[in-house]
Amino acid sequence: MSGAVVELVGITKSFPGLIANDAIDLDLRPGEIHALLGENGAGKSTLMNVLTGIYQPDAGRIFMQGVPVRFASPKDAVAAGIGMVHQHFKLIRAFTVAENVHLGWQDTPFRTSAGLLEGRTRALAERFGLAVRPEARVEDLSAGEQQRVEILRVLARGARVLILDEPTAVLTPGEAAALVRALRGFVALGYAVIFISHKLDEVLEVADRITVLRAGRKVATLPAAECDQARLATLMVGRELGAGQRHSAGKRQLGPIVLQLAGVSANDERGVQALADVDLAVRGGEIVGVAGVAGNGQRELSEVLTGLRPVTEGQVRIGGQIMHHANPAEFLAAGIGHIPEDRLRSGLAPSMNVTDNAVMREYSRPPVTRGGLFSPGAAMTLARHIVADAQVLVPNMRAPVRNLSGGNQQRLVARREMRVAGQALVAVYPTRGLDIGAIDTMLRSIAEMRDRGVGVLLVSEELDELLGIADRVAVLFQGRIMGVFPTAEAEPERIGLLMGGRAEAA
Amino acid sequence: MIRLQRVSTVGPWIVVAARVLSVAAALLVGGAAFAVAGYDVPMLAGSVVRGSFDSLFGLEDLGLLFSPLILTGLAAAVALRIGLWNIGGEGQFYAGAIAATLTGLNLHGPTPVMLPLLALAGFAGGAAWVLVPALARAFLAIDEIITTLLLNFVAVLLVNYLCTGPLRDPAQAVTSASARIPYELPPLLDDLHWGLGGSVALVSVMAVLFARTRWGYEVRLSGANRHAARYAGIPVRRRLIQVLLLSGGLAGVAGMLEVVGTVHRLQGGISNNYGYLGIMVAVLAGGVPFAVLPAALLMAVILNAGTVLQAYGVSNYEVLALTGLVLLFTAMGERIAYYRLSRPMRA
């Protein structure tokens, strides 16, 4: 026992109507990268919140080097050498790297200067083998660089256990490889890393041991060498998944054009042009994928297609009908469903209950509203129906929607939108934040929409996902369509080049 | 070791309990301060209770304070539902009073016709007073807190001008007030008029409006997340304007009831701070229409206590300070309700 850097014994934590962790044991050995794997809502976040002192467990004990410890607050956990890098970085964007590293740190000298902090930061960066530019402002850094700053912040405070929540989600493959090298260097000092991830291939590549959680319980802890993807997937979801499923159907009759952009330009919030002269058509019964690095006009494209953003030039047509005004209600009436990029900002009202959120797109028609009168009973019935279809786990229909896990929120939004997408579905990163079981279900329901003759515009960062399901792929770069190809002719390399702005050789 | 721990949701009864305990704590602290100042607190408390509840006269006084507080509280609560702070209840109250007075003095007809007309005039006056802030908020994103607040001072001066100028009743030598309005609300008791019934009815109407109409759902969604409301196809800007006009209108009706039912003339100072106290009522009620009733009652009791206590040499300001304590403790209680004591790490 005393060999473990950290040992969790019988950790149990329940919330009203839900046991998030049920007697979970976990031991971290010195020098290992330990992957924590599980579906959304499996209890990973709760367990890490217990380990970092954010939650107090209802039962169970924590040992560090064999000594029992209590973390009454995150401060205690940090003092004991437990550091966490969250998926969403907690850096101050207007500050420099050096300032961020020293912020709220008791070792920061009382009298400081920019030069002094930068020097200290440079020394720390060298010591931990993390390449950062101490004088750079965080807002100018790539996601990978920001992550290194976060890790440096944690390591500088003497962390012996480093917890990383989906660290590679924001990284390019090159950056991810560099991260893994840095982690190897860290654990070589006898420390340990907990690596939370959804990606099975990555977990197998990076981790020494893998712990799988399901529905709040620990299913297994296995050496990575004894695992393969199929086994892990089965452990995680508790059922066999069809290996390498493809959702594209065979030959189909395409319907008429349902979504069409003709010469469309649009601006972003700051009034800067974000879409330039875009021509794009989606027919009923096909899936058009939009590939591109995030921030190249995807948000504006989806907003123009759903009536949330006016065009500065060009025409939007839904089912042949010209949409003169950017009015979401008209687009909804025309049969457009929209799974938005940021569900908590625009797709849901987090403080309202599950019922009110579920009926958000159908509240104005019978049975929910008749003659201007809103029927809470009918809304509840409809919401229960949507929730059941979406396979969302809710403790109670009156619970605020912010209490649902991210995956459940995403499933709820997706099902709600599929119901109203009579003509077309605009789905932006619909699988973001979902685990493999849920991704599979989500892609299958998108494929079903297509089979029913609905046109689908699918924006995704996962090229494999797009190539697996789309009939055609359009590449977006700096607000322009760089090309549209049938998926069969779209080699990943060629798309990769276009995503980077390399025009096609003539 | 016992630690404080924050929980993300609590049951509705905990929220109610927190409110009740907060108010009780505020009264205790206030009582302690009175004791330190040398007052015989149990005796004062007894006389407040007797003065308010023990006689028909006291109950009537209470009712006359209760009714306008219900409406100004409801006005602020309605705006809170869409996430706006209407601080201008005071000004809208006066605007409603002015509109009702002008209508009552210049139009003539049978009372059953005139009373609804006067109420409409009061509503229109209050709504008109908030129109510019509403439009500025919807189209220019100008903070409604500032604009509605500033218009209060304009309304106060306008009333003073009217009462000392164009509307002044020459028969009244001492105070500046308008002539008596020739219409009265039917009495509920001797002095207490049917304004109280009307106010309670309006609370029910608002409760139904928010819970049981499409418009109410749209307003609630717009208040919870404006981006999501737009995404859902709701004309958010239009709803913002409508809600503020409704809010101003309700405060205007309060002003109309005060001039037509209680004071019978337009004069300076009739708002009695109802507009500002209404904001406290709305906060105490958490923006929920039906909860406005107990919150307004509490505020009415405190105001009434002020009147009673003046007989014992307690200044009105000392009593008004109590309302501040109540608000302060309620705000704290609202946060504290989300914490609980726990014993961590017991195996």
Side-chain angles (χ1 to χ4, degrees):
Chain A
M1 290 295 155
S2 61
V5 183
V6 168
E7 189 179 12
L8 302 174
V9 181
I11 298 294
T12 298
K13 175 76 188 174
S14 53
F15 298 103
L18 174 80
I19 298 179
N21 283 170
D22 189 358
I24 293 182
D25 298 334
L26 181 75
D27 68 300
L28 271 186
R29 296 176 187 160
E32 77 166 340
I33 298 181
H34 194 123
L36 194 57
L37 197 61
E39 291 196 284
N40 300 121
K44 304 184 299 272
S45 307
T46 305
L47 189 65
M48 290 304 105
N49 283 336
V50 166
L51 181 54
T52 52
I54 294 170
Y55 290 153
Q56 319 303 321
D58 304 331
R61 293 150 80 80
I62 303 176
F63 298 90
M64 290 194 75
Q65 318 282 9
V67 181
V69 287
R70 296 171 179 212
F71 300 145
S73 74
K75 221 187 284 172
D76 295 356
V78 170
I82 292 181
M84 177 147 183
V85 173
H86 292 268
Q87 203 177 347
H88 302 285
F89 302 140
K90 299 179 189 304
L91 297 173
I92 299 188
R93 298 174 55 79
F95 280 16
T96 65
V97 169
E99 285 164 344
N100 268 289
V101 166
H102 285 87
L103 195 64
W105 185 20
Q106 59 184 21
D107 287 6
T108 303
F110 182 70
R111 283 177 56 96
T112 64
S113 66
L116 179 69
L117 293 186
E118 283 163 18
R120 286 172 54 95
T121 305
R122 205 163 285 123
L124 285 167
E126 214 155 286
R127 191 173 132 211
F128 293 109
L130 291 163
V132 298
R133 291 175 286 150
E135 70 289 348
R137 290 203 184 281
V138 165
E139 61 195 355
D140 300 329
L141 301 184
S142 73
E145 291 174 298
Q146 293 189 27
Q147 186 179 54
R148 285 201 289 277
V149 178
E150 279 273 12
I151 294 176
L152 188 60
R153 249 179 82 90
V154 170
L155 295 187
R157 284 154 177 74
R160 288 181 286 156
V161 174
L162 180 61
I163 305 168
L164 297 160
D165 189 5
E166 303 212 20
T168 58
V170 293
L171 303 184
T172 64
E175 288 176 323
L179 170 67
V180 172
R181 274 198 303 280
L183 295 182
R184 278 289 156 212
F186 175 68
V187 298
L189 303 171
Y191 300 149
V193 167
I194 296 181
F195 191 97
I196 303 173
S197 179
H198 283 137
K199 297 183 186 163
L200 300 179
D201 49 350
E202 174 182 282
V203 161
L204 286 169
E205 220 175 279
V206 172
D208 300 304
R209 288 194 303 154
I210 301 167
T211 291
V212 183
L213 300 184
R214 185 169 74 225
R217 291 213 174 86
K218 184 172 105 171
V219 184
T221 298
L222 301 161
E226 293 172 19
C227 296
D228 59 30
Q229 291 205 25
R231 183 169 180 202
L232 286 179
T234 312
L235 287 172
M236 221 170 110
V237 300
R239 62 175 192 271
E240 298 274 355
L241 286 172
Q245 286 201 31
R246 281 293 173 263
H247 301 280
S248 38
K251 290 246 183 259
R252 288 181 317 275
Q253 281 287 305
L254 287 185
I257 292 178
V258 288
L259 271 185
Q260 188 170 22
L261 295 181
V264 163
S265 299
N267 293 341
D268 65 11
E269 268 82 32
R270 298 161 298 163
V272 177
Q273 189 174 53
L275 287 181
D277 196 24
V278 170
D279 288 306
L280 189 65
V282 180
R283 290 178 172 275
E286 74 166 343
I287 297 177
V288 175
V290 176
V293 177
N296 272 288
Q298 286 92 333
R299 172 193 287 267
E300 289 78 11
L301 179 69
S302 67
E303 289 181 349
V304 158
L305 283 170
T306 52
L308 284 162
R309 182 174 296 277
V311 300
T312 50
E313 254 174 272
Q315 254 180 13
V316 183
R317 287 201 206 103
I318 308 286
Q321 177 195 349
I322 300 172
M323 307 302 280
H324 292 284
H325 304 288
N327 178 344
E330 282 175 25
F331 281 66
L332 174 65
I336 303 294
H338 177 198
I339 303 175
E341 175 179 6
D342 184 348
R343 57 185 174 247
L344 281 181
R345 181 173 174 272
S346 54
L348 294 167
S351 61
M352 286 176 95
N353 64 34
V354 176
T355 299
D356 284 337
N357 274 284
V359 303
M360 198 187 273
R361 297 285 249 175
E362 296 176 68
Y363 75 90
S364 65
R365 51 198 200 212
V368 179
T369 292
R370 281 203 171 91
L373 290 182
F374 178 88
S375 159
M380 177 84 92
T381 307
L382 174 64
R384 273 189 206 288
H385 186 69
I386 294 174
V387 162
D389 271 356
Q391 298 181 309
V392 170
L393 297 172
V394 288
N396 131 26
M397 299 295 287
R398 296 191 195 285
V401 90
R402 77 164 102 81
N403 285 14
L404 302 189
S405 73
N408 277 326
Q409 292 171 351
Q410 185 71 351
R411 280 198 284 268
L412 179 64
V413 170
R415 175 52 54 186
R416 186 185 74 197
E417 296 307 312
M418 287 178 184
R419 286 174 56 88
V420 297
Q423 291 271 356
L425 178 68
V426 177
V428 188
Y429 308 129
T431 61
R432 189 186 264 180
L434 297 182
D435 50 69
I436 53 162
I439 288 175
D440 195 61
T441 314
M442 178 70 68
L443 293 179
R444 191 176 305 148
S445 15
I446 289 176
E448 277 168 22
M449 297 291 291
R450 171 200 59 199
D451 296 343
R452 266 187 271 143
V454 173
V456 179
L457 187 89
L458 175 65
V459 178
S460 177
E461 295 165 316
E462 306 277 335
L463 205 47
D464 287 348
E465 183 178 299
L466 282 181
L467 294 177
I469 193 174
D471 301 287
R472 292 188 295 144
V473 176
V475 182
L476 201 57
F477 176 73
Q478 294 189 344
R480 290 178 187 277
I481 300 277
M482 303 296 286
V484 184
F485 322 89
T487 309
E489 298 166 22
E491 298 109 32
E493 295 72 28
R494 189 169 157 208
I495 293 184
L497 285 177
L498 290 174
M499 280 166 62
R502 290 270 293 279
E504 289 222 76
Chain B
M1 192 168 20
I2 294 181
R3 288 275 183 170
L4 266 183
Q5 193 184 349
R6 187 173 154 66
V7 293
S8 58
T9 46
V10 293
W13 62 272
I14 290 191
V15 175
V16 172
R19 289 285 146 91
V20 172
L21 288 175
S22 306
V23 170
L27 294 179
L28 276 178
V29 170
F34 276 82
V36 169
Y39 293 112
D40 178 357
V41 175
M43 188 274 290
L44 290 184
S47 55
V48 165
V49 172
R50 259 177 283 114
S52 302
F53 300 102
D54 219 25
S55 69
L56 196 60
F57 181 70
L59 277 177
E60 281 201 348
D61 273 0
L62 197 61
L64 287 176
L65 294 168
F66 188 23
S67 167
L69 285 170
I70 291 173
L71 285 181
T72 55
L74 193 60
V78 160
L80 280 181
R81 294 251 81 167
I82 203 161
L84 296 180
W85 287 91
N86 178 8
I87 308 296
E90 193 82 359
Q92 294 139 21
F93 181 99
Y94 276 126
I98 294 171
T101 306
L102 290 174
T103 311
L105 292 177
N106 294 309
L107 285 185
H108 305 285
T111 303
V113 178
M114 283 307 290
L115 285 180
L117 202 61
L118 292 174
L120 272 181
F123 188 94
W129 206 249
V130 82
L131 180 63
V132 171
L135 294 176
R137 173 67 227 198
F139 291 101
L140 303 171
I142 293 173
D143 196 332
E144 78 284 354
I145 296 179
I146 310 291
T147 49
T148 53
L149 173 69
L150 291 179
L151 278 175
N152 288 345
F153 307 117
V154 180
V156 168
L157 294 173
L158 182 61
V159 167
N160 288 343
Y161 162 72
L162 289 173
C163 294
T164 53
L167 289 183
R168 183 173 177 204
D169 181 5
Q172 296 244 327
V174 186
T175 56
S176 346
S178 74
R180 191 181 166 94
I181 298 164
Y183 306 100
E184 276 183 37
L185 288 165
L188 198 58
L189 296 168
D190 287 343
D191 278 334
L192 186 59
H193 52 77
W194 264 99
L196 182 57
S199 306
V200 174
L202 279 173
V203 169
S204 315
V205 170
M206 289 303 133
V208 169
L209 190 63
F210 283 112
R212 297 275 172 157
T213 68
R214 173 170 66 191
W215 187 87
Y217 174 82
E218 293 183 347
V219 168
R220 287 190 289 125
L221 186 56
S222 304
N225 182 350
R226 225 153 275 177
H227 298 290
R230 207 169 98 69
Y231 159 91
I234 294 167
V236 177
R237 196 174 273 180
R238 206 176 304 163
R239 294 292 169 267
L240 286 179
I241 297 171
Q242 289 166 341
V243 166
L244 271 182
L245 292 183
L246 176 63
S247 170
L250 288 169
V253 171
M256 165 268 170
L257 289 177
E258 196 67 11
V259 283
V260 177
T262 309
V263 183
H264 304 295
R265 332 172 163 267
L266 184 66
Q267 61 188 46
I270 49 164
S271 84
N272 202 9
N273 286 330
Y274 291 136
Y276 294 115
L277 293 169
I279 300 164
M280 285 172 62
V281 169
V283 172
L284 283 174
V288 178
F290 275 122
V292 161
L293 292 175
L297 182 62
L298 173 72
M299 212 47 72
V301 169
I302 292 176
L303 278 191
N304 203 28
T307 321
V308 174
L309 292 180
Q310 275 173 26
Y312 297 90
V314 181
S315 106
N316 208 16
Y317 293 112
E318 290 171 89
V319 179
L320 268 180
L322 259 188
T323 63
L325 274 181
V326 168
L327 192 65
L328 181 68
F329 275 75
T330 306
M332 293 195 294
E334 199 164 301
R335 293 281 155 193
I336 293 170
Y338 286 87
Y339 287 85
R340 64 173 189 200
L341 295 171
S342 70
R343 290 161 196 268
M345 289 294 164
R346 279 200 316 183

